[in-house]
Amino acid sequence: MNRNQQYRMTKKKAALLACASMLTLPALLTACSGGSASQEAADDAAGKPTEISIFANQQGAQAVDPSNELLQAIEKKTNTKLNITWVPFNTITEKTKVALASGDLSDLTFVGNVYDSQVVQMATSGAFWDITPYIKDYKNLSALPQEIWDNAKIDGKNYGIPRPRPLEGAWGVHVRKDWLDKLGLKVPETMDDIYAAAKAFTEKYPDGNGKADTYGLTGNVDADAMGAFNWVENVFTGTNGRWKLKDGQLMPVIFDPGQKQALEWLKKAYDEKVLVPDFAVMKSTQAREQYMANKAGVFGSALNPQWLFTDALRKIDPKADSYPLTYVIGPEGKFAGKDSGVFGMYVIPKTVPEAKLKKILAFVNQGNGEEISNITQFGLPDKHYTVQDGFKVATEQAKTDNIPDITNNLLQIFQKYDKYQRAYYNGIPKEYYERNKKIIDDRSSFSKPDLSTGLISQTALTVGPDLYKKIQDMKVKVILGKEPMSAWDDYVAKLKTDPQFQKIIQEMNEAYKSKNSK
């Protein structure tokens, strides 16, 4: 814990203790805060920077130092003094839960899952500001697509500021196009095409070294989902997420025949050594590194790392090209997933006075504008990028100053909505950016959203995490051959009569009907 954090915590605890001696818990949540209204008024009159504490997701290798010139430029332009607690992405979920449980929250606290049971409970019990009535007063925030605000609502209200993401580009699968060209294969369209290409990548030495040291398919799985292989299930079921609409009712996608077909496809890939053998224990970073090390030809990933992958691969093979597929054809036709536009949100605790709440909203509103977003995405103009033919081109100084790593962190806090954001990666040549933009445009006419976004089942919040881990465990066992495919059939049949699972189905359908009747 740094000195700023210790001071802030000590100051906050002292104020809360003094206040708590006179107030009940509901009054405590709304009245107790770390500063006085009169002091804030005095600071306003003096034009002092607004102090804002932020609990943020660290995606880059290193936290952004307070002395960093990009961060200082942002503070100057927004007239703020920022105390940022950077939490590495691989520990953010655990650390967020601890912070929420303690009640010692930063002015802006990041939560990765809007519908986490802990977040929902705290929101509905009054621990966070309901910012719904304030949104209209802030130009950039109110300009976000309504779909994004709707997808971040809890019981019809916005208890946080969505971390906006484009609606297109989060879903995807990358294929080594240079390997396809070398082996005389066309760009795959169907799951059969992808399998044939992956098998050739495994057996025909596409890296040219004559050694059997490449795999067709790499990736990792999560504890409760298929992770980098979600795209396989999506294509076979024709569905984005865990729920599918059938005859006007939401049905768990695991009941769909396509789910079994996806398992059969992956099991075949594992049995024939097309799929990397240790996928079940790999971390997401390990799978990505394997792909970037020229050791695999197909990898499930969002669109935007396309240049990250290609640039890394070209240090090994100058002709490398990580090619994102626009779609994959499954049993129900072309498929590509559509995102919710929400990648977590920043909640503001009710301990923050309303006057400061408005300052914080103004700060985030400015951060979502053009000027600040340019800094957080590209760095400083002329120094880290130049504009050529309307396209921002990274300079050599950007590499020297490690701008991609710094902006990867800053973008977790400040970011305007940009339909083509996932087409861009720092340093990408214009031709690849334009190719990625076309993929986004083409997908927008047929991509499918996750129908369960914004739907809450209380039963799923309590028993869902354990249930979905068990489902995922069975999937992995079937793929590895530790359980026969018949065991999957038996497991699904058992779920169809499981009282808790049936209760989840009922509650999800009630929530779906309620949402779509408004």
Side-chain angles (χ1 to χ4, degrees):
M1 183 180 295
N2 62 37
R3 186 174 299 173
N4 282 334
Q5 290 171 299
Q6 289 175 328
Y7 171 74
R8 193 172 71 247
M9 183 176 292
T10 302
K11 184 179 176 183
K12 185 181 291 184
K13 285 183 177 177
L16 284 172
L17 285 171
C19 187
S21 65
M22 298 178 287
L23 296 174
T24 61
L25 179 59
L28 178 71
L29 283 171
T30 56
C32 295
S33 67
S36 68
S38 59
Q39 182 61 51
E40 288 180 4
D43 288 347
D44 285 346
K48 290 183 177 179
T50 301
E51 291 193 18
I52 300 175
S53 58
I54 306 175
F55 179 91
N57 181 23
Q58 178 188 319
Q59 281 286 341
Q62 301 292 329
V64 180
D65 191 272
S67 64
N68 178 268
E69 60 182 335
L70 270 62
L71 189 56
Q72 289 189 338
I74 292 169
E75 288 181 321
K76 183 177 180 181
K77 291 178 182 298
T78 59
N79 193 30
T80 57
K81 177 60 180 175
L82 304 178
N83 297 316
I84 305 175
T85 300
W86 293 103
V87 184
F89 72 93
N90 57 346
T91 62
I92 188 74
T93 301
E94 177 187 349
K95 295 288 180 65
T96 301
K97 287 184 177 295
V98 172
L100 292 173
S102 73
D104 184 39
L105 302 179
S106 298
D107 297 329
L108 281 169
T109 295
F110 174 70
V111 295
N113 180 4
V114 175
Y115 302 107
D116 176 84
S117 57
Q118 188 180 19
V119 174
V120 171
Q121 189 277 328
M122 291 183 70
T124 54
S125 64
F128 311 139
W129 275 98
D130 169 15
I131 65 169
T132 314
Y134 299 93
I135 297 169
K136 66 181 186 303
D137 299 327
Y138 301 91
K139 180 180 177 181
N140 295 325
L141 294 181
S142 59
L144 289 175
Q146 187 59 41
E147 188 173 353
I148 290 178
W149 285 109
D150 289 344
N151 286 339
K153 285 182 176 178
I154 297 174
D155 285 349
K157 297 179 180 180
N158 286 112
Y159 288 100
I161 306 165
R163 190 165 62 153
R165 289 295 184 270
L167 294 167
E168 302 292 346
W171 181 92
V173 54
H174 292 242
V175 178
R176 286 290 298 274
K177 189 173 185 303
D178 55 306
W179 284 7
L180 291 173
D181 295 341
K182 186 178 293 186
L183 299 176
L185 300 172
K186 66 175 184 177
V187 173
E189 291 188 275
T190 68
M191 292 303 291
D192 287 344
D193 292 342
I194 292 177
Y195 193 89
K199 192 171 177 63
F201 293 164
T202 304
E203 299 174 348
K204 296 186 178 181
Y205 318 120
D207 58 356
N209 68 5
K211 299 178 182 178
D213 60 353
T214 56
Y215 288 97
L217 181 64
T218 191
N220 69 292
V221 295
D222 299 327
D224 61 353
M226 285 302 293
F229 304 105
N230 277 333
W231 66 273
V232 177
E233 294 185 331
N234 296 159
V235 173
F236 275 110
T237 62
T239 304
N240 186 358
R242 290 187 171 127
W243 297 87
K244 183 172 185 174
L245 195 62
K246 185 175 182 181
D247 300 326
Q249 296 285 317
L250 285 183
M251 174 191 75
V253 76
I254 62 170
F255 292 172
D256 187 80
Q259 174 65 79
K260 184 176 179 180
Q261 291 176 306
L263 290 178
E264 290 171 337
W265 192 91
L266 286 166
K267 176 170 173 50
K268 180 182 178 184
Y270 178 80
D271 290 345
E272 296 186 355
K273 296 180 172 48
V274 170
L275 171 61
V276 60
D278 51 351
F279 77 92
V281 296
M282 291 179 75
K283 296 179 180 179
S284 60
T285 51
Q286 292 173 319
R288 174 181 282 206
E289 287 166 2
Q290 185 178 54
Y291 182 70
M292 292 166 65
N294 209 41
K295 297 300 180 183
V298 180
F299 180 53
S301 171
L303 178 63
N304 48 300
Q306 181 273 329
W307 182 248
L308 170 70
F309 298 158
T310 298
D311 190 39
L313 285 164
R314 287 191 174 177
K315 293 177 174 62
I316 303 169
D317 183 346
K319 294 183 179 180
D321 182 3
S322 182
Y323 186 85
L325 300 179
T326 303
Y327 60 84
V328 181
I329 298 174
E332 298 186 19
K334 284 184 181 180
F335 184 88
K338 183 178 185 179
D339 198 16
S340 68
V342 179
F343 194 37
M345 67 178 179
Y346 280 93
V347 298
I348 303 172
K350 228 15 187 342
T351 51
V352 172
E354 185 177 25
K356 187 170 184 180
L357 164 73
K358 292 179 178 180
K359 291 182 180 180
I360 292 171
L361 291 174
F363 162 72
V364 178
N365 180 71
Q366 190 175 350
N368 281 20
E370 187 81 24
E371 184 178 34
I372 303 300
S373 290
N374 277 343
I375 294 174
T376 61
Q377 190 168 4
F378 308 108
L380 300 177
D382 298 324
K383 182 175 185 179
H384 298 130
Y385 71 90
T386 58
V387 179
Q388 300 176 18
D389 191 25
F391 184 71
K392 294 181 178 67
V393 179
T395 63
E396 285 301 315
Q397 189 65 40
K399 294 182 180 179
T400 302
D401 292 350
N402 198 24
I403 292 303
D405 196 65
I406 294 168
T407 58
N408 204 11
N409 280 334
L410 294 177
L411 284 169
Q412 308 307 312
I413 304 175
F414 315 93
Q415 188 168 124
K416 71 169 184 172
Y417 178 78
D418 177 5
K419 174 184 177 181
Y420 296 116
Q421 179 201 326
R422 290 192 184 276
Y424 184 85
Y425 192 85
N426 204 288
I428 189 173
K430 186 174 183 179
E431 62 181 295
Y432 287 95
Y433 177 64
E434 294 297 334
R435 186 176 77 176
N436 290 345
K437 283 174 63 177
K438 185 176 188 307
I439 291 172
I440 287 171
D441 287 337
D442 291 345
R443 282 185 185 176
S444 63
S445 64
F446 60 83
S447 60
K448 295 185 178 181
D450 184 340
L451 297 177
S452 68
T453 299
L455 306 184
I456 298 174
S457 158
Q458 291 299 327
T459 304
L461 289 176
T462 55
V463 307
D466 184 58
L467 176 63
Y468 288 120
K469 284 180 182 177
K470 289 179 179 178
I471 292 173
Q472 177 60 19
D473 186 51
M474 177 58 75
K475 290 177 182 178
V476 171
K477 286 180 177 178
V478 169
I479 295 169
L480 294 177
K482 294 182 178 180
E483 291 282 1
M485 192 62 69
S486 59
W488 173 257
D489 295 332
D490 294 341
Y491 186 73
V492 171
K494 192 177 297 184
L495 282 176
K496 289 181 178 180
T497 60
D498 181 272
Q500 289 183 318
F501 201 48
Q502 291 304 309
K503 185 68 172 174
I504 291 174
I505 295 173
Q506 177 188 337
E507 291 172 354
M508 287 296 288
N509 274 284
E510 289 172 354
Y512 179 76
K513 290 176 182 177
S514 175
K515 178 182 178 181
N516 288 279
S517 64
K518 295 177 182 179

